Amino acid sequence: MESGSAAQVNWKVEGMDCANCALSISSYLTKKGMASVKVNPVSGEVFFENKRIGVSEDQLKKGIADLGYTVREAGIAENTSQPRMHKLLRYLLICLPFTAVLMLHMLPLPLHWLMNGWVQFALCLPVYVTGMYFFGRSAFKSLRHGIANMNVLIALGSTAAFGYSLAGTVLQLGSSYLFYESAAAIITLVFLGNYLEELAIAKTQQSLNSLVQHQEVTANMIAFDDKYQEVIFPLPNDQLKPGDLVLIKAGEQVPADSRVLTGTASVDEAIITGESRPVEKGPKSSLIGGSLLTGGTLRAQVTAGTAQSVLSNIIDLVKRAQGDKPPVQLLADRISAVFVPVVVLLAVLTFLVSFVVLHDAGAALSRSIAVLVIACPCAMGLATPAAIAVGLGRAARSGILFRNAHSLEAFNRISTVIFDKTGTLTTGKFVIRTWQLSPGTVVSGAEFRQLLYSLEKFSGHPLARSITEAWKGETAIRWKSIEEIKGVGMKGVTMDNTMYEAGSYRLAAALTNEHHHDIYLLKNGMLSGWLDMQDETRPGAKEAVAYFSAKGIRTILLSGDRKEKADALAEQLGIAEVFAEQTPAQKMDIVEKLSAGTATAMIGDGINDAPALARAGVGIALSDATQVAIQTADVVLMNSDLFKLPEAIGLGKHTLLTIRQNLFWAFFYNVLAIPFAAAGMIVPAAAALLMGLSDIVLVVISLRLYVKKVC
């Protein structure tokens, strides 16, 4: 690996049965010098950057394997011809019959043979061996690397009960020394709890899994035989590559990102935008892989393979964001890192104090085992990932993409929302209302159109795109040089060194008092004419502004457009504060000043908005924004509907609220449960069951986000 290079790594790690395991893997990779480490205990995804020279991925895989986990590349499925039984369920079914028989001696039944220590030993041994194979190996490997995971507590608790019982059996100390049923019950009930927990956690991934399922479709590949006759045959879409031709019929999914060649159809893009209203597509229209044709037939050319598709990028973005940790989780991580040693110490103290007070080693051991087993570092580690998985999953289903978990937390503090104007509050789709030549100009009407078209075709501004579309039949001038003046307009020099400029009133301020026009054309510094355009307000803009006003959130319009137009739009939408005629640098300065005193969100769509989006507390872009704006933003609204903005902010706030509720439950559970166990009010078997149920409670609290009203 070359110096300074950074390999982006994405692995799927199997065997993480608790959030504490994720912390172990994260700590290991960080110790090895890996950067930007993200471990998601919910999905098993691991992301990091390998900037360390001399540390290979094979070495890292071996290290993680030594911790007790299995590494495979993300997206590579296990090679199996038929579905396999879940590992935890398999272990549970092995242990359950032996444990059930062992527990019978606690019932008022004439089963005297069960009171024999060696019979109980024989029944407990298969359960103990199974438990040590799973929990014991993991505990040993984690301790060997200096990281104590949750399985250390389970292994210690069950081993203490089994070892004490075996000593009592060998020395024939009587039934009061037999805790075989506790050892078996701990292992069996923890297997049950972990299995139920994994089933519950899988529910938190249902939105993301539904996106993944839309990636796996069959394409109708179009090819040609030796007589150049069209041949159509089925092909898995993961084998498609750019340039391939496909046939898509009504009721079928678009197999890959494509561009329509022939045909018209209605397409449901809800999988991407969250909006189920069909969109009409025709020649040259773009198709998103995973969307559904509700009517019509299309022939299309693939523009991106499955791995590079819009849907694939969305899935990857959500997975990375799910592995992110907001600041609220940092306290829980610090506690989880020392939790296991502290619990072991508490268990030892419980045994010593109980033995001194009760003078009964069996009772003292029972209490200390209960302390070991009931403590649950998983609850604290799972509090954030479970809530984030559900929150981000619901957001993705609604067409709202968060780049990181920090944005979710930042939304909770938003008190000011800053809107760009053109392309954000308005659609950015303009029509030419009127144009006029300046008195005395030597430029003709035909030249005026040709010059504006030739200049604006090199600009990405919404006004420029609309002019180019309206006058696309004009013959373009070949320029000697052409450049964009940021926040002002375009400047071009012809082959005969004539200079033309097209842009805002700033270009013509010294030449005319006519300041209310949209585009001015200058020839060698002299005014040649102007043009007026008409824009339309984006659907949902007025409702979004009204929502924020009702919530007491300050709204600001920040635009490079003329003050008259900005004021008119602000009055129409109900925005009280306006900053107009601002350059990109001025926009950035204003956002920076506003963000210094309050938590801000900035919504923009253009290249000139990118610096301001980066300076805002939360930068938000629309899906039809420029790539620079999208890459800079923290949140992307995939259907460009501004009324999704309140939902995005609501999801952010309620996800953070859910995280806090989860953390409260996790801390409350451990603070309450450990003293009860130490006081002898909870037996080891009940402690094992309660430990497993505590995590399930967190998942249930998190799953409420799927149906909760957030705005």
Side-chain angles (χ1 to χ4, degrees):
M1 186 178 297
E2 296 179 5
S3 178
S5 65
Q8 300 283 338
V9 182
N10 177 15
W11 286 341
K12 180 84 170 180
V13 176
E14 297 174 342
M16 282 193 284
D17 49 45
C18 71
N20 200 243
C21 297
L23 192 60
S24 300
I25 293 171
S26 180
S27 299
Y28 169 78
L29 291 172
T30 302
K31 284 181 180 179
K32 290 296 183 180
M34 302 302 106
S36 303
V37 178
K38 294 182 179 181
V39 182
N40 184 0
V42 172
S43 66
E45 297 279 347
V46 175
F47 298 90
F48 63 91
E49 294 180 9
N50 188 355
K51 296 182 178 179
R52 183 87 176 268
I53 300 173
V55 179
S56 69
E57 291 186 18
D58 288 339
Q59 289 174 306
L60 295 174
K61 286 180 180 179
K62 184 179 183 304
I64 292 177
D66 288 343
L67 286 172
Y69 310 103
T70 303
V71 179
R72 62 179 172 86
E73 303 293 334
I76 299 177
E78 188 176 1
N79 185 19
T80 178
S81 58
Q82 58 184 2
R84 296 176 60 186
M85 182 183 293
H86 194 287
K87 178 172 60 177
L88 290 172
L89 178 59
R90 188 166 67 249
Y91 292 149
L92 174 62
L93 293 178
I94 291 171
C95 297
L96 189 59
F98 298 102
T99 304
V101 174
L102 261 177
M103 300 300 287
L104 287 177
H105 86 278
M106 302 180 68
L107 301 176
L109 296 173
L111 301 173
H112 301 294
W113 58 274
L114 259 181
M115 301 305 293
N116 184 287
W118 290 110
V119 172
Q120 291 190 25
F121 169 79
L123 289 169
C124 183
L125 185 61
V127 180
Y128 179 73
V129 170
T130 302
M132 288 305 101
Y133 178 78
F134 184 80
F135 301 115
R137 283 196 315 159
S138 173
F140 175 75
K141 289 178 178 179
S142 73
L143 289 173
R144 194 174 64 186
H145 287 268
I147 304 168
N149 64 18
M150 191 204 78
N151 291 333
V152 171
L153 302 179
I154 306 303
L156 279 176
S158 55
T159 298
F162 184 80
Y164 187 82
S165 303
L166 182 59
T169 302
V170 172
L171 300 174
Q172 298 182 350
L173 297 176
S175 61
S176 61
Y177 280 80
L178 301 184
F179 286 86
Y180 288 117
E181 79 283 349
S182 293
I186 288 169
I187 292 169
T188 304
L189 290 174
V190 171
F191 275 137
L192 173 63
N194 286 358
Y195 176 61
L196 294 177
E197 179 188 335
E198 285 208 11
L199 293 181
I201 286 175
K203 288 288 186 182
T204 67
Q205 293 291 88
Q206 61 186 23
S207 288
L208 186 60
N209 290 338
S210 70
L211 290 178
V212 173
Q213 289 171 5
H214 284 270
Q215 286 186 299
E216 303 166 358
V217 297
T218 300
N220 299 315
M221 178 78 170
I222 298 176
F224 298 90
D225 61 17
D226 56 351
K227 298 178 182 178
Y228 298 99
Q229 298 294 313
E230 191 175 272
V231 178
I232 298 173
F233 60 92
L235 182 77
N237 69 328
D238 60 0
Q239 296 182 28
L240 291 174
K241 57 186 183 297
D244 286 343
L245 303 179
V246 292
L247 174 68
I248 314 165
K249 305 173 185 177
E252 295 180 345
Q253 283 183 257
V254 177
D257 291 359
S258 314
R259 176 164 281 104
V260 177
L261 298 177
T262 61
T264 58
S266 298
V267 182
D268 181 351
E269 297 181 337
I271 188 65
I272 303 296
T273 65
E275 175 58 62
S276 58
R277 184 174 55 204
V279 180
E280 295 302 315
K281 301 284 185 176
K284 296 185 179 180
S285 296
S286 296
L287 298 171
I288 300 174
S291 53
L292 178 69
L293 255 68
T294 57
T297 300
L298 299 174
R299 279 174 168 78
Q301 186 175 41
V302 175
T303 56
T306 305
Q308 292 77 40
S309 68
V310 171
L311 183 57
S312 179
N313 288 331
I314 288 172
I315 292 169
D316 183 62
L317 182 65
V318 174
K319 285 180 178 179
R320 287 177 181 271
Q322 284 184 348
D324 200 18
K325 292 181 181 179
V328 71
Q329 176 67 12
L330 298 180
L331 174 61
D333 282 350
R334 286 197 292 269
I335 294 174
S336 295
V338 299
F339 188 88
V340 172
V342 169
V343 170
V344 172
L345 179 61
L346 287 174
V348 172
L349 290 174
T350 298
F351 177 82
L352 294 175
V353 172
S354 298
F355 183 73
V356 170
V357 173
L358 302 174
H359 304 291
D360 185 338
L365 182 66
S366 178
R367 293 183 180 190
S368 62
I369 291 172
V371 169
L372 284 172
V373 175
I374 202 167
C376 188
C378 292
M380 285 178 285
L382 190 63
T384 295
I388 286 179
V390 178
L392 294 181
R394 175 173 170 179
R397 188 181 65 190
S398 298
I400 303 165
L401 296 183
F402 288 87
R403 289 193 177 278
N404 51 62
H406 291 72
S407 304
L408 285 169
E409 184 165 352
F411 267 148
N412 191 59
R413 304 186 301 272
I414 293 299
S415 59
T416 301
V417 177
I418 306 166
F419 293 94
D420 173 50
K421 174 182 171 289
T422 305
T424 302
L425 288 174
T426 59
T427 61
K429 297 177 182 177
F430 297 85
V431 293
I432 298 173
R433 185 160 55 88
T434 182
W435 57 272
Q436 184 178 336
L437 298 176
S438 177
T441 183
V442 295
V443 174
S444 68
E447 287 177 314
F448 181 86
R449 291 193 300 271
Q450 183 187 29
L451 287 164
L452 272 183
Y453 170 76
S454 301
L455 285 166
E456 300 293 15
K457 70 178 291 188
F458 291 96
S459 173
H461 193 279
L463 285 175
R465 291 200 298 265
S466 298
I467 292 172
T468 304
E469 180 65 26
W471 288 344
K472 60 185 176 183
E474 299 290 336
T475 303
I477 293 173
R478 184 181 177 188
W479 300 103
K480 182 179 180 181
S481 66
I482 189 162
E483 64 176 306
E484 183 174 4
I485 307 169
K486 292 292 184 182
V488 179
M490 299 295 299
K491 181 174 74 172
V493 179
T494 62
M495 295 300 176
D496 61 1
N497 292 320
T498 303
M499 183 179 71
Y500 291 95
E501 296 169 281
S504 67
Y505 179 64
R506 292 183 183 183
L507 288 175
L511 305 174
T512 180
N513 292 325
E514 295 276 349
H515 58 79
H516 55 279
H517 303 296
D518 292 304
I519 303 289
Y520 296 81
L521 178 67
L522 279 66
K523 177 180 180 180
N524 290 327
M526 301 300 294
L527 183 63
S528 296
W530 51 77
L531 176 146
D532 292 319
M533 307 196 74
Q534 187 170 339
D535 193 5
E536 61 180 355
T537 304
R538 187 180 290 276
K542 190 168 185 177
E543 292 82 358
V545 172
Y547 170 84
F548 293 129
S549 298
K551 295 291 183 181
I553 297 175
R554 178 185 178 194
T555 54
I556 296 173
L557 175 57
L558 179 60
S559 175
D561 208 346
R562 294 196 319 274
K563 190 174 188 307
E564 293 81 0
K565 287 199 169 187
D567 286 341
L569 181 63
E571 183 178 358
Q572 177 188 345
L573 298 179
I575 300 175
E577 297 179 64
V578 178
F579 293 89
E581 302 178 11
Q582 303 296 312
T583 64
Q586 289 172 328
K587 284 185 177 183
M588 183 180 68
D589 290 340
I590 290 171
V591 171
E592 191 169 19
K593 288 176 183 176
L594 289 170
S595 299
T598 183
T600 61
M602 165 79 183
I603 304 99
D605 80 313
I607 294 175
N608 59 350
D609 296 322
L613 289 173
R615 294 300 175 97
V618 180
I620 303 168
L622 309 180
S623 62
D624 54 9
T626 63
Q627 283 302 309
V628 175
I630 289 175
Q631 292 299 323
T632 308
D634 301 297
V635 182
V636 179
L637 305 182
M638 290 304 296
N639 63 358
S640 298
D641 182 358
L642 280 180
F643 200 63
K644 288 288 183 182
L645 188 54
E647 184 178 354
I649 291 180
L651 269 173
K653 289 188 173 185
H654 282 275
T655 301
L656 184 63
L657 176 62
T658 302
I659 292 172
R660 287 174 172 167
Q661 289 172 342
N662 283 350
L663 286 172
F664 172 80
W665 165 256
F667 285 115
F668 173 78
Y669 165 81
N670 281 292
V671 167
L672 195 65
I674 292 174
F676 270 85
M681 302 174 69
I682 302 174
V683 298
L689 183 61
L690 288 173
M691 186 273 290
L693 292 177
S694 67
D695 293 349
I696 297 173
V697 170
L698 292 184
V699 176
V700 171
I701 293 173
S702 300
L703 287 172
R704 291 186 307 150
L705 269 173
Y706 275 129
V707 295
K708 194 175 184 181
K709 184 178 180 182
V710 296
C711 66

